[in-house]
Amino acid sequence: MAFQKAVKGTALIGGGAIATLFGLSQFSQYRNKHGTFVRVEAAEAVTVPLQNHFPTREQQILALQTTSEFDVLVIGGGATGCGCALDAVTRGLKTALLERDDFSSGTSSRSTKLIHGGVRYLQKAIMKLDLEQYKIVKEALEERANLLEIAPHLSAPLPIMLPVYKWWQLPYYWLGIKIYDLVAGSQCLKSSYVLSKSRALELFPMLRKDHLVGAIVYYDGQHNDARMNLSIALTAARYGAATANYAEVLRLLKTTDPAGGKERVCGVRCRDVLTGQEFDVRAKCVINATGPFTDSVRKMDDQEVPNICQPSAGVHIVMPGYYSPDNMGLLDPATSDGRVIFFLPWEKMTIAGTTDSPTDVTSHPIPTEEDINFILNEVRNYLSVDVEVRRGDVLAAWSGIRPLVTDPNSKDTQSISRNHVVTISESGLVTIAGGKWTTYRAMAQDTIDAAVQAHNLKAGSCKTLGLQLQGAEDWSPTLYIRLVQDYGLESEVAQHLASTYGDKAFEVAKIAQVTGKRWPIVGKRLVSEFPYIEAEVVYGVKEYARTAVDMISRRTRLAFLNVQAAEEALPRIIDIMGKELNWSEQKKKEELEAAKKFLYYEMGYKVKSDQLADSSEISLLPSDIERYKKRFRMFDKDKKGFITIVDVQRVLESISVQIAENTLHDILSEVDLNKNGQVELNEFLQLMSAIQKGHVSGSRLAVLMKTAEENLHRRAVIPVDRSGGGL
């Protein structure tokens, strides 16, 4: 009864505000009813031919070297840069794009994976009567609808629950979310709704039930950000853009304008990072779309130019899928320090984040233990006491740098808008800065419009609204069934291929290796618990992957889902890439070392070692210490004080179990802190202490030794697969 009264009261309170926005809603719906026709017309208006296949990287480099002059040259291969390239080339402009690392290697692959308008920006717009904030939300909601339409295989609507623990918050949040729906107009994904306490717990059983009043559910979009970015780049390449990753801009080229006598940017000097070869690329217009590195490129043009970009670090963590329902996210609207935390299902795991703090610009941002623990503490506040939120369940962690537009003197990044600005320097360098992932297309449109006007380029209007991206054309929700039926792939693998490559999944399936088993017929997995298969590595090389890091982080998402699984897959990935790219044995070793370094520092593997090392103070009961010592001595028969692979093999042989030596090496390496090839008693006790504290979970060595002890007399098989534990 109380719940019903609250909802009725909510409706009364919200009525006035909704009536105020009714006119905006009607305009929005009128405009968006015609949106479908606009998208169809825009897509059909593209006169540039779409090639069936994109060129090889070698062909792209050759095009960059031999083309006398491009109309547009974009620096930066993130979402905005690739969006600019696609916009320009579909207008008929001769287009080039240079990225010094891999496509989406920076911020664009390290997002919260949401396609959203920004609930908190709408809150600011209402509370401060800020029309600019309202326009940002409105534009983002329009772009959300477009993005879900042009890449349906990579994106989908996601319901997000906002739990309510105080009665007065129910009308407040309900009103805000309903206005969010209203601003979206006919492009609202699904209408938001209110849940009773019992229904909320039914849909999100992990939720903390104490003092829970009810919940509000609204809808936003979710996507695979790195694959989406790559899809934009590949689409631009198929339309004829000369796009190249690992092509670093060294300096800007300038020429003197004979009419006015001013210096004008006319291209760049760049270097092929893979070969070391340097060459010039000339263009009528150069666009700086380098995200956090915006000011470094602007200073290539003018050393005295003031900064317009203030970087902000956002840390995310990934936890096992059992922390959240399969199809329901969670929003913490007011954390202990006023930030917003999302808790979302993603790729059958759970992603939590983000933080928001000033940072220095770097190509290799590192997640900090402080930020990881902040997120974990906020998650604990919303989950049931029955769910133990363990530090050891963090499977991966990363930091992304947001390129926020700000006054150079501002220090409070939380008050900065994600709006974008387009600036043109006196020498003609066009810079696009700020913005957010969701609005990449609108940002690109504004940028190319400005470039066309400033440089008198002959081009038509924007054609990208409704323009389908790579893989979307013949995709359908049931496409994966054909993959299973036609090729004999596992259903999980087929679903993964369909949702990653769209209608291009058949190209991957065609090159999948025969397993030699009754089922599946084809598709050898890279690691047992993830649906990534070896054929994706071969196909990833065609998609311009040139390093092992490209493969584990952006062609597949292993590094973002489970760093231990990514490390386990590395040797096979490097072997396959080595064959495709003719790598020497030395090159393979270098790739393995570079990939492990990436996992260690940038994807949170370092904090795993730190967690174990920081547990040097062994807090175990005397009885536990004796029990673990006894277990250790069962392996250390010679009383050396440490165990090696040979010791473990001897015990396993005594119970008739065989495990590959390289697997045993990996198992011991997880605990071998000083990396001397052996696990000492103190290291083992530190491990068990850390497990008891919840700092470490899923240790294969701990599971193996415990199971061996229990089965010495029964001769049972010992499971050695990772248990799903994390960092």
Side-chain angles (χ1 to χ4, degrees):
M1 192 62 155
F3 183 80
Q4 291 177 344
K5 287 182 178 178
V7 173
K8 289 179 181 177
T10 295
L12 290 172
I13 294 171
I18 290 177
T20 303
L21 289 172
F22 182 73
L24 287 171
S25 172
Q26 293 303 302
F27 170 74
S28 171
Q29 290 182 20
Y30 170 80
R31 177 178 176 179
N32 293 322
K33 281 179 183 176
H34 295 77
T36 303
F37 301 108
V38 171
R39 284 191 282 275
V40 172
E41 290 172 3
E44 290 180 348
V46 178
T47 57
V48 181
L50 178 66
Q51 303 299 321
N52 290 330
H53 302 284
F54 43 85
T56 65
R57 183 179 182 277
E58 290 70 27
Q59 290 171 329
Q60 297 283 45
I61 291 292
L62 183 62
L64 290 167
Q65 293 173 330
T66 58
T67 301
S68 58
E69 185 181 50
F70 289 95
D71 293 318
V72 171
L73 168 61
V74 182
I75 306 173
T80 304
C82 291
C84 287
L86 180 58
D87 188 297
V89 75
T90 51
R91 296 193 196 201
L93 296 170
K94 192 179 295 183
T95 305
L97 181 145
L98 302 174
E99 163 58 48
R100 71 176 178 183
D101 204 301
D102 185 28
F103 302 115
S104 194
S105 59
T107 306
S108 295
S109 63
R110 306 179 190 222
S111 73
T112 312
K113 323 303 179 193
L114 283 177
I115 308 170
H116 63 129
V119 173
R120 64 170 167 169
Y121 305 142
L122 182 60
Q123 181 188 30
K124 290 181 180 179
I126 295 171
M127 300 300 290
K128 299 180 180 180
L129 299 178
D130 189 334
L131 184 60
E132 284 303 311
Q133 289 279 2
Y134 170 80
K135 289 180 179 178
I136 293 171
V137 176
K138 180 65 181 171
E139 179 183 63
L141 288 172
E142 291 173 353
E143 291 301 319
R144 178 188 70 177
N146 181 68
L147 196 50
L148 289 167
E149 180 181 322
I150 64 176
H153 57 301
L154 290 169
S155 59
L158 176 70
I160 300 175
M161 182 181 292
L162 198 163
V164 179
Y165 288 92
K166 296 178 181 178
W167 283 107
W168 68 265
Q169 290 179 335
L170 194 64
Y172 176 77
Y173 288 138
W174 180 87
L175 175 61
I177 294 300
K178 278 301 175 186
I179 294 176
Y180 191 63
D181 289 349
L182 187 64
V183 173
S186 63
Q187 292 176 334
C188 178
L189 302 180
K190 290 185 182 180
S191 182
S192 59
Y193 54 91
V194 178
L195 293 174
S196 65
K197 175 179 179 179
S198 59
R199 183 60 177 155
L201 292 172
E202 183 181 336
L203 293 176
F204 207 118
M206 310 84 174
L207 201 60
R208 179 168 62 88
K209 61 184 71 174
D210 296 344
H211 307 296
L212 182 67
V213 172
I216 300 167
V217 175
Y218 74 99
Y219 287 79
D220 257 325
Q222 188 178 52
H223 69 153
N224 185 336
D225 53 3
R227 291 295 316 184
M228 185 74 79
N229 193 156
L230 181 63
S231 184
I232 300 167
L234 296 177
T235 305
R238 287 180 61 196
Y239 274 111
T243 59
N245 56 351
Y246 295 102
E248 180 183 11
V249 172
L250 302 176
R251 63 178 182 275
L252 301 179
L253 302 177
K254 292 187 177 182
T255 186
T256 302
D257 184 358
K262 291 183 178 180
E263 279 196 331
R264 304 286 292 177
V265 174
C266 63
V268 303
R269 179 72 174 178
C270 71
R271 179 174 68 93
D272 184 341
V273 176
L274 303 180
T275 64
Q277 183 181 14
E278 293 186 13
F279 54 92
D280 292 340
V281 180
R282 297 191 175 273
K284 296 173 184 175
C285 171
V286 176
I287 295 174
N288 170 20
T290 53
F293 300 93
T294 292
D295 288 320
S296 62
V297 175
R298 292 175 72 241
K299 289 183 186 298
M300 288 183 183
D301 178 37
D302 179 3
Q303 282 289 338
E304 303 302 319
V305 70
N307 291 343
I308 65 169
C309 185
Q310 181 171 321
S312 170
V315 172
H316 295 82
I317 63 174
V318 167
M319 306 177 77
Y322 55 71
Y323 272 95
S324 64
D326 291 338
N327 194 37
M328 180 68 76
L330 185 74
L331 168 63
D332 177 357
T335 63
S336 56
D337 66 349
R339 293 184 280 195
V340 171
I341 289 287
F342 286 98
F343 193 62
L344 311 167
W346 183 66
E347 299 287 323
K348 297 188 177 180
M349 295 294 178
T350 301
I351 182 172
T354 178
T355 59
D356 191 355
S357 54
T359 186
D360 295 326
V361 176
T362 172
S363 299
H364 308 286
I366 298 172
T368 67
E369 186 62 26
E370 181 182 359
D371 283 329
I372 291 172
N373 282 319
F374 167 79
I375 296 171
L376 287 174
N377 287 332
E378 294 302 325
V379 169
R380 287 188 186 100
N381 291 336
Y382 275 87
L383 294 190
S384 168
V385 292
D386 297 332
V387 180
E388 183 184 359
V389 180
R390 303 181 299 182
R391 175 60 182 82
D393 282 339
V394 177
L395 303 172
W398 69 86
S399 176
I401 301 178
R402 304 185 191 92
L404 309 182
V405 180
T406 180
D407 183 323
N409 298 318
S410 174
K411 294 182 179 180
D412 181 12
T413 63
Q414 294 180 53
S415 65
I416 300 171
S417 168
R418 265 60 171 177
N419 200 6
H420 64 274
V421 296
V422 179
T423 64
I424 302 175
S425 71
E426 290 187 5
S427 63
L429 176 68
V430 179
T431 294
I432 170 66
K436 55 192 290 186
W437 222 121
T438 306
T439 59
Y440 84 91
R441 194 210 61 81
M443 293 165 62
Q445 179 179 342
D446 291 348
T447 305
I448 301 303
D449 283 346
V452 168
Q453 183 176 2
H455 292 271
N456 298 315
L457 302 176
K458 295 181 180 179
S461 59
C462 177
K463 306 292 193 299
T464 56
L465 188 64
L467 186 69
Q468 290 186 313
L469 299 181
Q470 167 90 349
E473 185 176 358
D474 295 321
W475 176 86
S476 73
T478 58
L479 182 145
Y480 79 94
I481 297 176
R482 288 175 55 199
L483 293 171
V484 175
Q485 295 175 337
D486 294 353
Y487 294 95
L489 287 161
E490 291 176 80
S491 180
E492 184 186 11
V493 171
Q495 289 180 45
H496 153 67
L497 294 181
S499 65
T500 301
Y501 303 95
D503 61 17
K504 302 303 178 186
F506 294 100
E507 296 182 13
V508 182
K510 286 176 183 177
I511 58 176
Q513 286 187 315
V514 175
T515 63
K517 302 175 182 178
R518 183 184 61 82
W519 190 263
I521 298 172
V522 301
K524 292 183 178 179
R525 295 194 182 210
L526 289 169
V527 284
S528 60
E529 68 266 46
F530 289 95
Y532 301 109
I533 60 174
E534 293 181 355
E536 292 182 77
V537 181
V538 177
Y539 194 76
V541 172
K542 294 180 181 179
E543 292 182 319
Y544 307 134
R546 286 299 179 270
T547 70
V549 172
D550 296 345
M551 201 64 68
I552 62 175
S553 59
R554 293 175 285 276
R555 302 311 181 276
T556 73
R557 306 311 307 273
L558 266 176
F560 283 81
L561 296 171
N562 189 317
V563 291
Q564 288 180 266
E567 185 183 44
E568 183 179 308
L570 274 175
R572 184 60 186 144
I573 288 174
I574 290 172
D575 280 344
I576 297 171
M577 293 189 75
K579 291 177 183 177
E580 295 295 315
L581 297 169
N582 298 315
W583 285 347
S584 65
E585 289 301 316
Q586 179 60 32
K587 174 62 174 175
K588 288 182 181 179
K589 290 179 181 178
E590 292 172 359
E591 283 295 322
L592 182 61
E593 185 64 30
K596 285 187 174 182
K597 183 178 179 181
F598 168 78
L599 292 173
Y600 185 76
Y601 288 106
E602 296 185 52
M603 300 309 300
Y605 216 150
K606 180 179 184 296
V607 284
K608 174 201 170 187
S609 299
D610 290 347
Q611 280 297 301
L612 201 49
D614 290 345
S615 302
S616 55
E617 183 181 340
I618 300 170
S619 55
L620 293 169
L621 295 174
S623 58
D624 288 333
I625 292 177
E626 285 305 312
R627 178 159 54 94
Y628 294 138
K629 281 183 177 180
K630 182 179 178 181
R631 185 178 300 169
F632 187 85
R633 293 191 195 105
M634 182 183 70
F635 286 78
D636 182 22
K637 290 290 186 182
D638 301 328
K639 299 181 180 179
K640 306 181 298 296
F642 61 85
I643 58 175
T644 64
I645 289 178
V646 175
D647 297 317
V648 178
Q649 283 176 327
R650 183 175 59 222
V651 173
L652 296 181
E653 287 172 3
S654 71
I655 56 175
S656 303
V657 173
Q658 290 186 340
I659 298 176
E661 185 173 336
N662 60 341
T663 302
L664 285 177
H665 180 271
D666 290 341
I667 291 173
L668 264 67
S669 293
E670 293 172 5
V671 186
D672 181 13
L673 296 178
N674 51 21
K675 302 302 177 187
N676 60 359
Q678 59 196 33
V679 176
E680 295 155 6
L681 174 60
N682 196 58
E683 287 176 325
F684 178 66
L685 293 177
Q686 285 177 231
L687 169 66
M688 302 314 296
S689 178
I691 289 173
Q692 281 198 6
K693 294 175 183 176
H695 294 166
V696 173
S697 65
S699 167
R700 290 189 283 176
L701 181 64
V703 172
L704 185 149
M705 293 178 71
K706 181 175 183 287
T707 312
E709 183 181 51
E710 293 173 349
N711 290 278
L712 264 175
H713 301 295
R714 291 183 293 168
R715 303 294 190 266
V717 177
I718 298 176
V720 294
D721 288 342
R722 283 185 311 279
S723 65
L727 303 180

